[in-house]
Amino acid sequence: MRDYKISYNILKSSLEEKGIEVNKVEKRLKTLKIETPSWGYADSGTRFAIFKQKNAAKKVKEKIQDAAEVHKLTGICPSIALHIPWDITDDWDALLEYSLSLGIRPGAVNPNLFQDPDYKLGSLCHPDEKVRKKAINHVLECIDIAKTLKSKDISLWLADGTNYPGQDDMRERKHRLEESLKEIYKNLEKDMRLLIEYKFFEPAFYHTDIADWGMAYNLCTKLGDQAMVLVDLGHHPLSTNIEQIVAYLLDEEKLGGFHFNNKKYADDDLTVGSINPYEFFLIFNELVSAKDNGIKANIAYMIDQCHNLKPKIEEMIQSVENIQKTYAKALIVDRKSLRKFQQNEDIIMAEKVLTEAFETDIKPLLFKVREEMGVPLNPLEFFRESGYINKLKRE
Ligand code: PSV
Ligand code: MN
């Protein structure tokens, strides 16, 4: 690592030979922002067991401390997503102040529409109007919290669906959903957004009310400009072409949020980039390509992972490193050559442009950027050596 400058110079000149402006790549790497989720710092598990970790955060302030530590070491995680009521407090102003004092701000506010026993048959789509009203009021409460915290995004994931054919009327549920969302939407502040997530199954196993990107897109289009689709990488059936969905939504200017994680089977919450790094690269490639083509996009990037087995903060830092590395590889794609090969119908060479960027050892560039940002060159190693977790005095 000490000698990274020699390899950096070699990498820089090979990229510049291809016409890639390395200074611009470095600037873009420094401005990448990834939110981390409060629930990723707390104990979690599967429906079979929760294996508790020593000094895992329990209180919201502890989650903020851990998120601030991740930001301190990576320099690119300046906000923390909150989940209500898991992160409830009776003094939101004080929590905002506390958070800012640690150099981190509250990010997306996530309502919880799945845990209350009343939501057994759904929340915003529930057959009983009283339960729908309760769910709407909960989201309105989250909007108020977001106002106090100066957060701009309400991130909505619905567990609504049915488990048995005939359990409820799918079209009626769609109408209830549209009505409930309209009520929520009209209570947003003008500078707020409603990010609507989709997921094809789980916890509902027969049908899910917002099952795919098309349904989320349709709902957002009906609601208006402040409603945007949120893509969570774990929420697609196996072999779905996620990069195409991303490209399509970007082109429609309807992609508003992104949840990073990786899956092997379903919504597995595995470390982003750990199972299929090439797919992850192709997704980032679409994000960069759209931006380079002048498509306007305000995308809230967040890691949405519960770290059940790995040490939580370490997995969070590992995830941030994977994201940064993959973004860097997408930024060094030789887009001029790619375009030329596409126009010349040279499929072999066009694909090679992508694989060349993907296979590049980008570490020296990341070291350079981290050094200039004043963060450790190797955040994960640094964190381990700091003994942060063992020094904490938590119950
Ligand atoms: C459940 O699938 C989920 O992971 C969704 O992706 C939400 O974003 C998150 O939980 C928090 O509610
Ligand atoms: Mn998610």
Side-chain angles (χ1 to χ4, degrees):
M1 203 208 301
R2 221 176 298 129
D3 295 325
Y4 89 85
K5 284 197 175 128
I6 302 169
S7 19
Y8 170 78
N9 287 332
I10 300 171
L11 176 62
K12 186 170 190 240
S13 44
S14 78
L15 293 174
E16 282 173 350
E17 260 169 43
K18 293 183 191 162
I20 292 163
E21 294 176 78
V22 177
N23 292 344
K24 279 198 186 152
V25 169
E26 291 170 3
K27 224 187 239 165
R28 284 169 81 173
L29 277 168
K30 286 177 194 161
T31 53
L32 175 68
K33 287 188 177 44
I34 304 159
E35 188 156 300
T36 65
S38 68
W39 53 99
Y41 298 106
D43 276 321
S44 58
T46 64
R47 63 198 160 114
F48 301 103
I50 293 177
F51 300 107
K52 299 206 168 181
Q53 293 186 15
K54 189 184 165 205
N55 279 337
K58 283 184 186 60
K59 300 171 187 144
V60 60
K61 280 191 176 173
E62 295 171 344
K63 299 174 194 173
I64 292 173
Q65 288 159 13
D66 291 353
E69 185 67 14
V70 171
H71 181 46
K72 197 173 95 194
L73 300 187
T74 61
I76 56 172
C77 301
S79 61
I80 176 170
L82 298 175
H83 215 297
I84 314 298
W86 297 339
D87 297 324
I88 204 87
T89 166
D90 49 16
D91 191 343
W92 290 107
D93 287 306
L95 194 75
L96 173 62
E97 208 174 295
Y98 179 73
S99 186
L100 296 177
S101 76
L102 295 187
I104 193 155
R105 62 178 175 75
V109 177
N110 291 250
N112 185 320
L113 296 173
F114 46 86
Q115 216 178 332
D116 192 297
D118 281 349
Y119 299 145
K120 180 172 153 188
L121 302 180
S123 61
L124 300 180
C125 309
H126 197 283
D128 183 342
E129 197 187 344
K130 279 203 294 303
V131 179
R132 295 204 296 280
K133 198 83 213 125
K134 170 174 170 164
I136 294 170
N137 284 339
H138 173 58
V139 184
L140 299 188
E141 180 200 349
C142 290
I143 294 178
D144 281 339
I145 292 170
K147 277 187 214 165
T148 313
L149 294 177
K150 302 186 174 42
S151 296
K152 300 297 169 205
D153 289 334
I154 302 292
S155 200
L156 197 72
W157 171 66
L158 282 193
D160 287 41
T162 63
N163 269 23
Y164 306 98
Q167 181 186 321
D168 199 352
D169 185 294
M170 286 194 257
R171 273 188 301 110
E172 260 180 44
R173 288 182 74 92
K174 173 175 177 285
H175 298 159
R176 293 176 210 145
L177 175 59
E178 289 176 357
E179 240 175 69
S180 303
L181 286 176
K182 256 192 226 155
E183 185 63 27
I184 291 166
Y185 186 86
K186 71 176 191 227
N187 281 283
L188 291 172
E189 296 281 283
K190 284 283 156 281
D191 60 349
M192 275 185 174
R193 305 188 302 171
L194 183 67
L195 304 179
I196 300 185
E197 203 168 338
Y198 57 90
K199 173 165 158 174
F200 74 116
F201 89 116
E202 197 202 24
F205 290 112
Y206 171 58
H207 106 285
T208 294
D209 288 292
I210 313 180
D212 64 24
W213 72 272
M215 295 182 201
Y217 174 78
N218 189 42
L219 289 165
C220 289
T221 309
K222 285 184 176 172
L223 289 170
D225 290 346
Q226 287 170 255
M228 305 284 277
V229 181
L230 188 156
V231 173
D232 181 313
L233 293 177
H235 290 190
H236 307 85
L238 289 177
S239 79
T240 301
N241 188 329
I242 304 175
E243 55 271 32
Q244 184 189 6
I245 297 173
V246 168
Y248 196 99
L249 289 172
L250 279 163
D251 200 62
E252 292 294 329
E253 298 187 0
K254 264 301 188 201
L255 182 63
F258 216 95
H259 282 180
F260 295 118
N261 50 55
N262 210 170
K263 69 162 187 292
K264 178 78 177 161
Y265 303 103
D267 190 18
D268 309 330
D269 272 24
L270 302 181
T271 314
V272 58
S274 66
I275 302 294
N276 193 342
Y278 189 52
E279 177 193 53
F280 188 38
F281 164 77
L282 293 175
I283 292 167
F284 247 125
N285 178 50
E286 290 306 327
L287 291 158
V288 172
S289 148
K291 182 110 189 151
D292 286 358
N293 282 322
I295 288 181
K296 277 193 238 92
N298 170 14
I299 303 171
Y301 291 112
M302 190 190 90
I303 293 172
D304 187 9
Q305 294 169 186
C306 284
H307 310 131
N308 300 338
L309 299 181
K310 286 180 180 168
K312 292 164 198 312
I313 304 180
E314 288 189 13
E315 186 173 359
M316 201 67 91
I317 296 173
Q318 189 178 41
S319 305
V320 176
E321 287 188 19
N322 284 355
I323 296 167
Q324 201 180 29
K325 176 177 72 187
T326 310
Y327 181 46
K329 289 182 178 188
L331 287 172
I332 58 154
V333 167
D334 177 0
R335 294 195 186 276
K336 270 195 211 117
S337 302
L338 179 63
R339 187 99 199 104
K340 190 185 79 203
F341 293 133
Q342 287 172 344
Q343 279 162 350
N344 295 344
E345 301 177 13
D346 191 341
I347 305 170
I348 296 272
M349 292 308 288
E351 187 183 30
K352 198 160 173 285
V353 169
L354 294 181
T355 52
E356 251 172 31
F358 176 65
E359 284 160 6
T360 302
D361 178 6
I362 204 73
K363 279 199 285 305
L365 195 78
L366 295 176
F367 289 153
K368 169 85 175 350
V369 166
R370 288 183 191 142
E371 184 160 47
E372 287 179 3
M373 290 177 80
V375 297
L377 298 200
N378 192 334
L380 183 55
E381 209 174 271
F382 188 95
F383 177 77
R384 280 205 156 189
E385 281 163 13
S386 74
Y388 172 90
I389 273 291
N390 290 326
K391 281 189 215 145
L392 293 173
K393 291 201 172 50
R394 286 179 182 162
E395 274 164 44

